[in-house]
Amino acid sequence: KAGVTQTPRYLIKTRGQQVTLSCSPISGHRSVSWYQQTPGQGLQFLFEYFSETQRNKGNFPGRFSGRQFSNSRSEMNVSTLELGDSALYLCASSLGPVKDTEAFFGQGTRLTVV
Amino acid sequence: AQKITQTQPGMFVQEKEAVTLDCTYDTSDPSYGLFWYKQPSSGEMIFLIYQGSYDQQNATEGRYSLNFQKARKSANLVISASQLGDSAMYFCAMRAQGGSEKLVFGKGTKLTVNP
């Protein structure tokens, strides 16, 4: 059974550009959540999708957006990149809002903004 | 609001010994789940163990066990028979049940296993 797949693994972008990151959850999982990890702020929740609907959103500016497709794959987009957006972006896959369900992460996308 | 506290920035353990990583939490939710993840230098967040707040028994997964003390709001991870490959960052996280899948993480503990 394949795990959570994030692409690309590494990305270098210039300030002002935009970027799209992809996350394919474990087969059968319908919930995808995104997190940003930086040395200073640690792991911070970005947003959560279930059945193509955004269920929850973290405290990030509107430059950060996401979506989920009918096959549960999710993308997140960051527009007008800033140096501070350099981080490891992780996505987590789970069955959905079901009691006692585990959450599994992908390998992450390491974004560097120069 | 939920909060996870990991008070040990770094821990050292000798190979083959057991080690306990501390985690305390704060929440007003009556039902919640507690997680431990391992993050090697590669960056991948590896799921280790899960404990539901209403589980009567402490969770165990191989060499990992979770010492859950609900009254003290603690969920410590115990790794038995440490191996060199256990050297990594370890994160404790929690999630309220029945709603959002959002995980709240602690700041992590860096574990170093010495030969």
Side-chain angles (χ1 to χ4, degrees):
Chain A
K1 192 175 186 180
V4 182
T5 303
Q6 289 189 246
T7 56
R9 289 290 312 281
Y10 302 92
L11 210 48
I12 300 176
K13 289 286 189 179
T14 305
R15 259 187 315 175
Q17 287 187 314
Q18 74 163 12
V19 67
T20 299
L21 312 181
S22 177
C23 173
S24 293
I26 292 170
S27 178
H29 284 192
R30 294 166 62 194
S31 179
V32 173
S33 301
W34 289 89
Y35 296 83
Q36 181 197 64
Q37 186 179 24
T38 59
Q41 298 298 318
L43 283 145
Q44 293 186 287
F45 171 77
L46 279 158
F47 25 64
E48 166 198 352
Y49 288 89
F50 176 72
S51 293
E52 302 178 66
T53 302
Q54 187 179 89
R55 288 171 51 87
N56 201 354
K57 190 176 191 302
N59 188 23
F60 279 82
R63 300 185 296 107
F64 291 80
S65 63
R67 59 179 175 169
Q68 187 180 34
F69 302 95
S70 58
N71 62 357
S72 296
R73 189 177 71 86
S74 178
E75 289 182 346
M76 68 163 281
N77 184 278
V78 187
S79 62
T80 319
L81 284 165
E82 300 177 359
L83 295 179
D85 297 333
S86 294
L88 179 65
Y89 290 88
L90 292 158
C91 85
S93 157
S94 60
L95 285 170
V98 176
K99 185 181 176 182
D100 292 343
T101 180
E102 297 150 345
F104 299 92
F105 282 80
Q107 290 184 299
T109 294
R110 198 170 293 275
L111 171 65
T112 302
V113 182
V114 298
Chain B
Q2 300 168 329
K3 186 178 180 181
I4 294 283
T5 302
Q6 294 180 255
T7 57
Q8 306 155 315
M11 287 283 286
F12 294 87
V13 66
Q14 287 298 121
E15 195 178 6
K16 299 180 184 177
E17 291 186 349
V19 62
T20 298
L21 305 184
D22 294 341
C23 171
T24 57
Y25 61 91
D26 191 22
T27 182
S28 56
D29 295 299
S31 180
Y32 49 89
L34 295 156
F35 299 76
W36 275 93
Y37 290 91
K38 171 186 177 182
Q39 188 178 45
S41 56
S42 61
E44 181 181 7
M45 196 73 79
I46 302 168
F47 168 78
L48 295 178
I49 198 166
Y50 170 83
Q51 177 88 41
S53 60
Y54 287 107
D55 291 342
Q56 296 296 318
Q57 293 188 321
N58 287 341
T60 60
E61 290 284 351
R63 295 186 299 110
Y64 304 106
S65 61
L66 200 153
N67 184 2
F68 180 48
Q69 298 187 48
K70 195 171 182 177
R72 293 187 174 186
K73 293 190 174 180
S74 74
N76 298 338
L77 176 71
V78 180
I79 305 175
S80 63
S82 296
Q83 302 172 356
L84 296 178
D86 293 335
S87 294
M89 283 292 292
Y90 287 80
F91 291 93
C92 179
M94 76 178 300
R95 179 186 68 201
Q97 299 284 24
S100 171
E101 295 290 288
K102 173 186 174 182
L103 289 168
V104 174
F105 286 87
K107 293 190 179 300
T109 296
K110 184 175 182 180
L111 176 67
T112 302
V113 180
N114 294 316

